């Protein structure tokens, strides 16, 4: 070091500086290495990085309105969003409407505005038909064509739509509404769905992760500690579902869990359903399982004793009532006994039609179905990292702990378990991140309340065609995952994670 | 030095057999009594069942047959964690997620000792193995020798009366191994604990032990103190396993008192101490230690002609390989002193030995 500084840079025998020489020597090997990874790099860029970036940009940028309605856009962007819309704006709007109708692009522009203010689609198309015959004053003419043109919030909504670079979608993904005057407010109550959905997605992912851990840990332990032959056999059993199509496995769960499915048949046959039912009646806290069984209990009661049961049901607190009970009580108080009993008969017929007649549980097409099927599908992702970590823990540690006086439990808990933490971390991260973006299983077996955020993204991609909102929802999901990753790194440490 | 009996017997194996697979007996009829405060080494080749014996004693394997007693009480049905036996494992088995201090405190914590007491005991045992400053290190931050000391300290810290060690020095280099041998021996003496030590290094066994049990094939071949084992091996396996040894095959042709007359396969007849050679007519194997050969002395009792094949200069002595009675792997250690004339390769010289130094053992 001191040599180099006092006599200038080190050189090779032919006088070139050592550093440059070294770089020249390394360059060839670097080039070769790059050449080897270049195809993969190009592939990832082309099919992964670029499309995702482009799609993410859509979450902020939607130039539809600006493209098809340029004149009104210009004035709307200058407008402060608070004052009365001017005659000038109305004139520009009419001109744009005429042009867009001629270009047959009015539908697209209208759809864009409709995303901000529902009902405006028909207003646009209808007004556009009449626009060619309109004469000044244009504002009055517009209001005459459709009274909503007179509302300032409609103009505000159009202003939002006209703003191509907009936080509106990301705000919408968080149940917020971006108004034309620049303010942000909560979405109206009955349209606040995204936060609930994100929370439910997190909840389902968390429960699935915990279930996978609870089920996978003992299996991984067996895999790592059984004799090689038995362990190999067990490993095949773990991997077998892994190699089976997700669709097949999910469909198999439908056959297992449906009203007339294997599990319900077995429970009805063994009388276990009655036990569970009594237990649930005791606590009245039954989540998903409740529906069919408890309902049928109430329905059967009404059919058997009529008035008496209805009185009891009416006396119950509203949140303790099953959906069927609530319905019958409502009809009872509105239209009397006869109508309520008739409703009970209808409910019974409906239940029988779906196979829930004789006290069967609904475990599919709801959250329970999603949880069961997802846990099953993601289980290997927990078992494999756990197994690979446990495999490396020598049995000598447990022996040592026991020879030092620890009971089996203490030896496990204080010596074995802490050494499996890297595997638990890896497995949980893997399962949670896979679960949070899960799509096909909830779509197939989730019913109403088992839907996750990905199903909504899919809905906006394929049905409502609101790609920008889909991008924003995806973006929020990505941010959540990255945040969790960061949190995990802070708490456990990423380098403390072993996949095998 | 016979197997201990009476009050001071601490550990006792009674007719213990062990089979892992129900086909092969890994330990066949083990009988061994170890006295309180004794340092007993199990020595034997790989796969001879030493570790198995230790694991049965510690409670990690159950004896297929027989009885193991500790302090006069059968421990067959006592689980490992209640046996109060300290064990040092071959690869130390220090818990990697705990510091040295936590490793040492572990056996005390599971015994529910008070904080202050734990602290004090840990400090004392660390000082004993000269590792006072390493309490907050992780095992992975220690050298092999340091880990070894900690493993030893952990087995000692809860004051077990019996310590088992399974090749504890196997992973250390020669110099460190010798130093640790001395320290373990020292600790054994100062604490008065009983140690059962497993090794396949015979010099380690000879240096450290009060008594050595030589294992082969699941059977104790000989149980004796180091000197007896070396000087008076009872069978061919022990003679060959302990120390360097010359063997000559032959046939017993006569018996006179404690001595046997043996005709060597190469022709000549010699006298040997009859230890384990059976009756006249049996095949036998003669065993003579290389340092007991008298060289160039035609007046010795059993004189044979020997031709020098190879000479290796080793400083204090010269190893000389010779052809004796048709066998060219006969080794003689010639002290490097003025009394001994220099030998030359190809030279033929008479060699001989005192009859008691040549033991007639079972033929293998
Ligand atoms: N868990 C086991 N299952 C089946 N066979 C075993 C088991 N452990 C050891 N053996 C067999 O028992 C025999 C004795 O093994 P052991 O470990 O006691 O030998 P050792 O004397 O300690 O050898 P080394 O010096 O190599 O440690 C060996 O043949 C070994 O293959
Ligand atoms: Mg061993």
């Amino acid at each position: 070091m001191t040599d180099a500084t006092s006599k200038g840079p080190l050189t090779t025998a032919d006088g070139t500086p050592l550093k440059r020489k070294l770089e020249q020597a390394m360059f060839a090997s670097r080039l070769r290495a790059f050449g080897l990874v270049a195809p993969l790099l190009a592939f990832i860029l082309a099919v992964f990085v670029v499309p995702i970036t482009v799609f993410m940009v859509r979450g902020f940028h939607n130039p539809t309105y600006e493209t098809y309605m340029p004149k009104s856009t210009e004035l709307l962007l200058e407008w402060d969003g608070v004052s009365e819309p001017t005659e000038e704006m109305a004139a520009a709007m009419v001109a744009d409407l005429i042009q867009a109708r001629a270009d047959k692009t009015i539908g697209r522009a209208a759809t864009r505005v409709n995303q901000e203010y529902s009902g405006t689609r028909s207003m646009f198309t209808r007004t556009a038909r009449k626009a060619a015959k309109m004469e000044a004053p244009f504002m009055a003419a517009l209001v005459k064509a459709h009274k909503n043109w007179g509302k300032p919030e409609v103009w505000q909504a159009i202003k939002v739509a006209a703003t191509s670079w907009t936080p509106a979608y990301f705000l919408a993904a968080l149940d917020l509404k971006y108004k034309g005057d620049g303010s942000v407010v909560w979405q109206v109550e009955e349209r606040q769905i995204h936060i609930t959905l994100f929370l439910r997605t997190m909840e389902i992912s968390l429960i699935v992760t915990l279930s996978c851990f609870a089920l996978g840990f003992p299996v991984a332990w067996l895999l790592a500690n059984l004799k090689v032959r038995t362990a190999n056999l067990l490993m095949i059993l773990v991997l077998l579902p892994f190699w089976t199509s997700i669709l097949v496995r999910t469909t198999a769960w439908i056959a297992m869990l449906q009203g007339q499915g294997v599990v319900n048949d077995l429970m009805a046959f063994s009388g276990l359903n009655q036990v569970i039912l009594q237990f649930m009646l005791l606590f009245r806290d039954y989540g998903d399982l409740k529906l069919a069984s408890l309902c049928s209990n109430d329905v059967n009661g009404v059919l058997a004793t009529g008035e008496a049961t209805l009185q009891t049901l009416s006396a119950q607190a509203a949140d303790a009532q099953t959906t069927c009970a609530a319905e019958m009580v409502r009809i009872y108080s509105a239209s009397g006994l006869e109508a309520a009993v008739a409703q009970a008969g209808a409910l019974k017929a409906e239940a029988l039609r779906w196979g829930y007649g004789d006290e069967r549980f609904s475990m599919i097409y709801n959250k329970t179905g999603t949880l069961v099927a997802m846990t099953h599908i993601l289980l290997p992702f927990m078992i494999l990292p756990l197994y690979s970590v446990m495999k490396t823990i020598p049995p000598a540690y447990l022996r040592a702990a026991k020879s030092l006086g620890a009971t089996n439990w203490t030896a496990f808990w204080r010596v074995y378990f802490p050494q499996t933490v890297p595997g638990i971390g890896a497995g949980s991260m893997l399962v949670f991140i896979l679960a949070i973006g899960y799509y096909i299983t909830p779509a197939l077996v989730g019913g109403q309340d088992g839907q996750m955020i990905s199903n909504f993204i899919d809905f906006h991609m394929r049905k409502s065609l609101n790609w920008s909102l889909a991008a924003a929802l995806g973006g929020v999901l990505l941010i959540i995952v990255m945040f969790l990753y960061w949190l995990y790194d802070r708490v456990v440490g990423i380098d403390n994670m072993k996949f095998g | 030095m016979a197997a201990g009996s009476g009050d001071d017997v601490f550990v006792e194996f009674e007719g213990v057999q062990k089979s892992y697979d129900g086909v092969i007996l890994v330990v066949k009829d083990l009988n061994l009594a170890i006295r309180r405060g004794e340092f007993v080494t199990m020595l034997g080749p790989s796969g001879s069942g030493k570790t198995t014996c230790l694991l049965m004693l510690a409670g990690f394997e159950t004896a297929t047959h027989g009885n193991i007693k500790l302090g006069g009480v059968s421990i067959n049905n006592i689980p490992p964690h209640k046996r109060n036996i300290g064990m040092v494992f071959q690869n130390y088995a220090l818990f990697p997620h705990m510091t040295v201090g936590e490793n040492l405190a572990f056996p005390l914590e599971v015994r529910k000792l008070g904080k202050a007491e734990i602290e004090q005991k840990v400090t004392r045992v660390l000082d004993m193995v000269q590792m006072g400053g390493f309490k907050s290190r992780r095992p992975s931050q220690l050298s092999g020798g340091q880990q070894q000391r900690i493993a030893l300290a952990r087995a000692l810290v809860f004051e077990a009366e019996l310590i088992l060690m399974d090749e504890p020095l196997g992973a250390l280099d020669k110099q460190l191994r010798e130093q640790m041998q001395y320290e373990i021996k020292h600790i054994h003496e100062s604490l008065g604990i009983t140690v059962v030590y497993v090794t396949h290094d015979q010099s380690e066994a000879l240096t450290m032990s009060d008594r050595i049990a030589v294992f082969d094939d699941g059977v104790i071949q000989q149980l004796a103190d180091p000197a007896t084992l070396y000087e008076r091996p009872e069978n061919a396996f022990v003679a060959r396993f302990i120390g360097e040894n010359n063997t000559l095959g032959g046939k017993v042709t006569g018996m006179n008192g404690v001595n046997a007359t043996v005709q060597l396969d190469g022709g000549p007849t010699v006298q040997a101490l009859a230890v384990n050679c059976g009756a006249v007519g049996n095949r036998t194997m003669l065993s003579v230690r290389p340092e007991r050969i008298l060289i160039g002395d035609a007046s010795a009792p059993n004189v044979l002609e020997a031709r020098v094949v190879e000479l290796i200069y080793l400083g204090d002595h010269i190893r000389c390989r010779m052809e004796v009675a048709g066998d060219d792997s006969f080794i003689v250690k010639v002290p490097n002193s003025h009394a001994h004339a220099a030998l030359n390769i190809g030279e033929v010289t008479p060699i001989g030995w005192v009859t008691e130094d040549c033991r007639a053992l079972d033929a293998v």
Side-chain angles (χ1 to χ4, degrees):
Chain A
M1 281 281 274
T2 45
D3 264 18
T5 46
S6 59
K7 293 181 197 162
L10 284 172
T11 58
T12 52
D14 62 359
T16 35
L18 197 55
K19 255 194 175 160
R20 176 128 51 87
K21 195 78 184 168
L22 189 67
E23 263 160 27
Q24 283 169 0
M26 298 292 284
F27 183 73
S29 73
R30 284 222 197 100
L31 202 64
R32 198 163 21 184
F34 183 78
L36 287 172
V37 297
L40 180 63
L41 198 66
F43 179 79
I44 289 179
L45 276 174
V47 307
F48 202 70
V49 178
V50 173
I52 284 187
T53 318
V54 168
F55 200 72
M56 279 295 133
V57 168
R58 272 177 185 274
F60 295 102
H61 182 65
N62 189 338
T64 313
Y65 189 91
E66 185 184 15
T67 314
Y68 301 127
M69 313 279 282
K71 295 195 193 78
S72 58
T73 300
E74 202 173 312
L75 291 176
L76 280 163
L77 293 183
E78 281 165 17
W79 179 48
D80 61 2
V82 186
S83 56
E84 193 76 0
T86 59
E87 174 62 20
E88 225 184 335
M89 286 159 65
M93 179 62 73
V94 171
D96 275 342
L97 284 172
I98 295 168
Q99 183 62 43
R101 183 166 147 79
D103 295 347
K104 298 199 167 58
T105 51
I106 184 68
R108 296 184 203 176
T111 306
R112 172 69 192 94
V113 180
N114 200 57
Q115 288 168 359
E116 297 303 328
Y117 197 102
S118 46
T120 43
R121 195 187 144 80
S122 63
M123 178 184 94
F124 263 77
T125 43
R126 210 185 312 158
T127 317
R129 276 200 298 276
K130 300 175 186 164
K133 293 188 194 115
M134 282 181 185
E135 285 169 18
F138 287 108
M139 186 54 86
L142 283 173
V143 176
K144 190 162 167 264
H146 197 291
K147 65 176 180 340
N148 275 1
W149 284 111
K151 294 184 180 169
E153 52 284 21
V154 169
W155 286 95
Q156 282 177 357
I158 300 172
K159 180 175 155 74
V160 172
T163 319
S164 294
W165 290 96
T166 171
Y169 292 106
F170 266 85
L171 291 170
L174 297 170
D175 285 343
L176 292 163
K177 197 166 169 60
Y178 181 71
K179 304 240 298 222
D181 59 3
S183 62
V184 176
V185 294
W186 284 106
Q187 184 68 267
V188 285
E189 189 114 14
E190 66 268 22
R191 301 190 65 188
Q192 288 187 12
I193 37 172
H194 294 138
I195 289 189
T196 324
L197 212 58
F198 274 117
L199 287 178
R200 187 199 292 160
T201 305
M202 303 274 280
E203 180 200 330
I204 290 179
S205 306
L206 199 68
I207 297 178
V208 167
T209 309
L210 291 177
S211 320
C212 282
F213 171 69
L215 295 173
F217 195 91
V219 177
W221 190 85
L222 276 182
L223 276 175
N225 289 286
L226 280 179
K227 283 207 206 80
V228 181
R229 255 161 162 265
T230 337
N232 282 345
L233 201 70
L234 195 61
M235 187 57 126
I236 290 177
L237 292 182
V238 169
L239 290 177
L240 211 56
F242 211 45
W243 298 326
T244 317
S245 146
I246 287 187
L247 271 173
V248 173
R249 279 185 282 167
T250 310
T251 322
W253 277 114
I254 298 179
M256 293 288 289
L257 297 177
Q258 64 191 353
Q260 293 292 2
V262 179
V263 176
N264 263 321
D265 278 351
L266 280 177
M267 286 208 284
F269 178 72
S270 63
L272 191 64
N273 58 346
Q274 288 298 334
V275 180
I276 298 175
L277 187 64
Q278 291 311 317
F279 189 74
M280 293 196 313
L281 279 170
L282 216 58
F283 293 101
R284 283 264 161 190
D285 180 13
Y286 18 76
D288 282 332
L289 288 171
K290 70 174 186 253
L291 296 162
S293 277
L294 286 177
C295 270
S296 78
N297 212 43
D298 294 337
V299 168
N300 288 336
V302 171
L303 287 175
T305 60
E307 190 110 47
T309 309
L310 282 167
Q311 300 280 343
T312 340
L313 290 179
S314 311
Q316 285 173 351
D319 58 348
Q321 284 173 340
T322 64
T323 41
C324 304
E327 200 174 330
M328 290 185 296
V329 166
R330 187 169 51 75
I331 293 174
Y332 175 59
S333 56
S335 350
L337 177 64
E338 217 157 293
V341 174
Q343 178 65 18
L347 284 169
K348 172 103 185 176
E350 178 85 349
L352 281 173
R353 202 156 64 78
W354 290 104
Y356 292 114
D358 40 352
E359 278 153 10
R360 281 159 185 266
F361 298 99
S362 53
M363 293 177 287
I364 200 99
Y365 306 124
N366 56 26
K367 204 151 83 180
T368 314
T370 303
L371 287 175
V372 171
M374 275 179 66
T375 301
H376 174 229
I377 287 161
L378 294 176
L379 197 52
F381 293 100
M382 179 66 85
I383 293 179
L384 294 177
L386 272 177
Y387 164 72
S388 75
V389 167
M390 289 179 179
K391 195 77 192 156
T392 62
I393 304 176
Y397 288 130
L398 273 182
R399 281 186 180 163
K402 284 185 214 168
S403 85
L404 293 170
T407 58
N408 284 339
W409 168 250
T410 317
F412 168 78
W413 180 242
R414 291 209 40 205
V415 174
Y416 195 81
F417 184 78
Q419 296 186 57
T420 64
V421 166
I424 299 176
S428 303
M429 283 290 285
L430 211 57
V431 169
F432 191 86
I433 288 178
L434 284 174
I436 210 171
Y438 230 64
Y439 154 70
I440 188 88
T441 304
L444 287 175
V445 301
Q448 268 295 312
D449 63 345
Q451 297 293 306
M452 296 172 72
I453 196 70
S454 316
N455 302 108
F456 247 71
I457 296 177
D458 168 61
F459 170 78
H460 287 304
M461 289 292 295
R462 292 191 303 136
K463 302 269 168 55
S464 81
L465 298 183
N466 190 350
W467 283 21
S468 290
L469 184 55
L473 288 169
V476 172
L477 194 62
L478 189 66
I479 291 167
I480 293 177
V481 169
M482 293 205 314
F483 171 75
L484 289 171
Y485 201 70
W486 173 83
L487 199 71
Y488 181 87
D489 187 32
R490 287 297 300 271
V491 178
V492 187
I494 290 299
D495 45 353
N496 206 355
M497 179 156 73
K498 268 197 205 152
F499 287 106
Chain B
M1 281 286 179
S5 59
D7 287 350
D8 61 347
V9 171
F10 187 41
V11 181
E12 204 170 0
F13 288 86
E14 287 178 345
V16 172
Q17 297 184 320
K18 172 72 186 176
S19 173
Y20 283 107
D21 49 9
V23 181
I24 302 163
L25 274 180
V26 173
V27 175
K28 305 167 183 160
D29 192 33
L30 176 73
N31 290 290
L32 176 62
I34 298 166
R35 287 187 296 271
R36 203 174 282 276
E38 203 174 16
F39 195 119
V40 170
T41 297
M42 295 178 175
L43 176 67
S46 191
S48 56
K50 308 177 299 282
T51 299
T52 306
C53 287
L54 222 55
L55 291 180
M56 284 192 290
L57 187 50
F60 298 121
E61 293 290 348
T62 46
T64 314
H65 177 80
N67 216 352
I68 302 174
K69 287 183 178 173
L70 190 65
V73 186
S74 170
I75 54 170
N76 282 13
N77 295 319
I78 300 179
H81 68 270
K82 290 194 182 143
R83 294 194 180 188
N84 211 31
I85 294 175
M87 187 151 180
V88 181
F89 292 82
Q90 178 159 14
N91 42 16
Y92 317 133
L94 294 175
F95 306 140
H97 58 292
M98 298 184 189
T99 63
V100 165
E102 286 163 349
N103 263 286
L104 295 179
F106 183 81
L108 304 175
E109 278 167 13
V110 300
R111 286 177 172 73
K112 306 214 161 38
L113 265 60
K115 259 218 161 81
E117 199 179 354
I118 292 179
E119 184 74 31
Q120 177 213 339
K121 287 194 176 188
V122 168
T123 312
R124 199 173 58 200
V125 81
L126 273 176
D127 287 342
M128 185 159 38
V129 294
Q130 295 152 32
M131 293 283 292
F134 294 84
K135 203 166 158 183
S136 51
R137 293 254 194 118
R138 293 274 165 139
S140 57
Q141 298 166 321
L142 300 176
S143 74
Q146 290 168 335
Q147 290 182 31
Q148 215 291 318
R149 283 163 201 257
I150 299 303
L152 180 63
R154 194 177 62 175
L156 293 171
V157 73
F158 58 101
E159 286 156 16
E161 284 178 274
L162 178 60
I163 305 284
L164 312 181
M165 301 192 198
D166 190 0
E167 308 202 21
L169 308 181
L172 305 184
D173 65 45
K174 190 166 176 289
Q175 206 167 357
L176 198 55
R177 196 154 66 212
E178 278 163 12
Q179 187 190 345
M180 285 305 297
Q181 285 170 9
Y182 167 76
E183 281 181 31
I184 291 176
K185 187 72 192 147
H186 181 75
I187 287 173
H188 163 247
E189 275 160 12
S190 63
L191 294 182
I193 47 177
T194 312
V195 177
V196 180
Y197 193 96
V198 164
T199 181
H200 56 235
D201 177 343
Q202 44 138 327
S203 77
E204 191 168 297
L206 293 174
T207 350
M208 300 177 76
S209 326
D210 295 330
R211 283 195 299 161
I212 299 171
V214 181
F215 269 67
D216 186 38
D217 200 19
V219 177
I220 294 185
Q221 301 288 339
Q222 190 173 353
L223 172 66
D225 61 296
T228 312
L229 216 53
Y230 187 83
E231 308 271 348
R232 298 201 293 276
E234 268 165 19
N235 56 40
F237 176 81
V238 177
R240 274 199 289 204
F241 196 70
I242 309 281
E244 208 174 6
N245 185 52
N246 289 309
T247 57
L248 294 165
K251 199 167 163 186
V252 181
T253 54
M255 294 288 265
N256 46 344
V258 295
N259 290 346
T261 310
V262 176
Q263 168 151 42
L264 297 180
D265 294 342
T269 303
V270 292
Q271 294 287 308
L273 189 68
V275 179
N276 193 10
C277 61
V280 174
N282 273 13
R283 279 204 59 79
T284 181
M285 197 200 79
L286 300 186
S287 149
V288 202
R289 297 287 179 200
E291 66 274 16
R292 296 297 169 92
I293 309 288
L294 306 166
I295 193 157
D297 183 357
S299 64
N302 299 289
V303 176
L304 295 173
E305 287 280 289
R307 196 169 57 85
V308 179
V309 181
E310 191 180 8
L311 289 167
I312 298 167
Y313 183 77
L314 287 169
D316 60 339
H317 73 270
I318 294 155
R319 257 173 83 87
C320 176
R321 187 155 68 82
M322 299 179 135
E323 188 185 317
V324 175
D327 177 3
D328 68 353
S329 59
F330 199 91
I331 303 290
V332 179
K333 284 186 186 168
V334 186
N336 190 3
S337 66
H338 295 297
H340 287 87
L343 293 166
N344 298 308
I345 290 181
E347 180 182 338
V348 175
T349 177
I351 59 160
W353 55 79
V354 180
T355 305
E356 295 87 81
D357 285 343
C358 177
R359 299 168 70 81
L361 305 171
D362 53 324
V364 198

